Amino acid sequence: SNPNDLFSQSSYLDFLRVTKQYLPHLARLCLISTFLEDGIRMWFQWNEQRDYIEATWSCGYFLATCFVLLNLIGQLGGCVLILSRNFVQYACFGLFGIIALQTVAYSILWDLKFLMRNLALGGGLLLLLAESRSEGKSMFAGVPSMGESSPKQYMQLGGRVLLVLMFMTLLHFDSNFFSILQNMVGTALIILVAIGFKTKLAALTLVVWLLAINIYFNAFWTIPAYKPMHDFLKYDFFQTTSVIGGLLLVVALGPGGVSMDEKKKEW
């Protein structure tokens, strides 16, 4: 085989080895960033958020306040638990609940782009749940296990497939050369991550691609804070960062049992 290929393969493996202890931490931090930002926003925009919910759902002052409070405590509390590695599974279920609540409360169900992004966030949380399960398992290192636990495998599969939905919202249907190229490369990488083939490399490439798109298109810091566009871009920026976190978890943990990479080992 080509020595250059071997060199690039070994430098990529070196990269994974060096980052192995930091990657899961970085992945978790990225993954919860959107919940952290949203929880903090609930605090600073308390009145606006409450008035919006009260006006939209005509649910009265008390229920609207409860909604904002639940979002604030649920999201910030979940983030603290996940970062401190305590009760991670409960925190993930709590954040799933928040995603579901917001999807209904902000009428995201009817907006395909936002719905896909929320599902992608759910995918990231599924991967986090799978990771916390594997940590729980590794405590009983001496006990023989029946292969890899299958709920975890399917969580990782579900997480990968849902994460990929984020990219469906980034495909641009223009006819210029750059857009077509971006769509082709993006689609190829998406399929690789979803089926779990060359998963770590494909996920890492998607991380770099998303990072570039995020910093270029969602530069909310270049827009004055009083303009509505600032908030939109900020929301997009942190949602994209969360999906990057999910992909970093794929890089850190691998694709799991239900994937082409695992099946290849059996061949």
Side-chain angles (χ1 to χ4, degrees), residues 15-29:
F15 166 79
L16 283 185
R17 213 170 292 120
V18 170
T19 53
K20 199 174 170 78
Q21 63 261 49
Y22 308 112
L23 210 53
H25 297 291
L26 180 63
R28 270 194 296 274
L29 187 60

Side-chain angles (χ1 to χ4, degrees), residues 172-194:
H172 297 287
F173 299 103
D174 306 331
S175 53
N176 66 30
F177 173 72
F178 183 67
S179 283
I180 292 170
L181 180 72
Q182 190 181 324
N183 287 354
M184 281 167 62
V185 173
T187 307
L189 290 170
I190 284 168
I191 292 169
L192 288 178
V193 171

